[in-house]
Every structure is written in structure tokens, then in C-alpha cells.
Amino acid sequence: KLQELIETWVSSIVAETGLQGLNNMDCLNVDGNIVVLEINPRPSASVALYDLDYTHGLLAEHIKCFNRDKWNDPLPQSQFRGSWVVYASTDLRISKKLNWPLWVSDRPVIHNEFNDGDPVCTLQASAASVAQLKLQLMQRCTEISDLLLDSSVRRERNV
């Protein structure tokens, strides 16, 4: 029911604004009611999760619509994909070059400083089920958090 409501809103917004291609709508489910925060007339960061579903990538499909080209159907999907933002669990400074796994993006550079609770990097994963995906993302979050603590310098905040 909520998906149908969102689809109705999106159709109405597109009709009123003329938006084309990939755009995104930030919304929250608050006690079973959808609250729209904003409409972004650009692709979201989650585009990267679906890039493999298209022969030339999802961004290439987005660009096609501005040339009035037909959007290609996605390739068959056998995996669920997701991302997870890792937050600093303490104040830290990246002290040496880390050997980042390929599934980490938005990687900080040497000497970047983070306060407790700051976003540090983003993880990606894929799995055959949503449950497996969540488990893999949690495991990767633990792995990266441990790596950050082992290879970073905890720093004292000057207050």
C-alpha cells in the first residue's frame, strides 16, 4: 500500500516538474505514514548498487533518456545488494596507509581526522538473500571498524 502511494506521488511530481532519468526521493516511514523529506533531481549514491544490472552501467542508461534513447531492460538479478556507512567509534586519525578491501568506498586518506560518530567510509555487499546481505554487511562493518582502530591513532580532543 505504501509503495503504491509513493508511486502515485512520484508520477505526480514527474508530471508537474518534467524530471527525467534517475532522480531520488528521500522519505521516512513514521509509524506507517510516509513523510517526504526532499526530491533530488539527480541520481542517488545507491546507483552504484545497481550498476552491474546493466550491460553498460546504470549511469549510461540515465544519460540515454536525455537523448530520447530507449532504456534497456536490466539483466537478470540473482543477488541482493546493499551498502552500509561506517561511523567512527572513537576520535581517531588515519595514521598510515591502509590496505582497503575492494568493497570499501569513500575511503579516507592518511591523516584524516574523525570525531566519535563521524562517517568514515561506505561498505558494499551482495548476497543471495536479504538476511545474508545484512549479515555480510554487519561482518564487514566489524572488520573495518577493527582495522580502523588497529591502524589509526586515537586522538585527544582539545576542548
Side-chain angles (χ1 to χ4, degrees), residues 3-149:
Q3 183 175 342
E4 289 174 8
L5 179 61
I6 291 171
E7 287 174 2
T8 300
W9 289 346
V10 168
S11 294
S12 176
I13 290 166
V14 169
E16 286 292 320
T17 63
L19 287 172
Q20 295 182 46
L22 296 170
N23 302 279
N24 68 80
M25 180 171 71
D26 293 341
C27 56
L28 298 172
N29 182 338
V30 179
D31 300 323
N33 296 306
I34 299 297
V35 177
V36 176
L37 302 176
E38 64 184 357
I39 305 295
N40 298 299
R42 56 171 171 72
S44 70
S46 62
V47 165
L49 295 173
Y50 303 97
D51 210 41
L52 295 174
D53 292 342
Y54 295 87
T55 304
H56 299 289
L58 187 52
L59 195 55
E61 295 299 322
H62 168 70
I63 292 168
K64 276 183 175 183
C65 76
F66 295 98
N67 297 324
R68 306 271 191 243
D69 291 340
K70 183 182 179 307
W71 189 283
N72 290 323
D73 291 331
L75 301 170
Q77 184 179 4
S78 62
Q79 297 281 302
F80 291 89
R81 295 187 196 97
S83 62
W84 185 303
V85 176
V86 176
Y87 295 88
S89 60
T90 186
D91 294 347
L92 56 88
R93 183 179 73 240
I94 305 300
S95 64
K96 64 180 183 178
K97 192 170 189 167
L98 300 176
N99 187 14
W100 293 100
L102 293 176
W103 38 263
V104 177
S105 60
D106 307 321
R107 300 171 184 172
V109 296
I110 299 170
H111 305 303
N112 270 17
E113 293 188 355
F114 299 92
N115 294 324
D116 183 10
D118 285 351
V120 177
C121 60
T122 306
L123 315 179
Q124 287 82 36
S126 63
S129 72
V130 172
Q132 290 172 336
L133 174 63
K134 288 179 179 179
L135 180 61
Q136 187 176 47
L137 284 167
M138 287 190 291
Q139 290 170 337
R140 287 181 173 183
C141 184
T142 299
E143 184 178 335
I144 289 300
S145 295
D146 291 346
L147 181 66
L148 285 169
L149 289 176

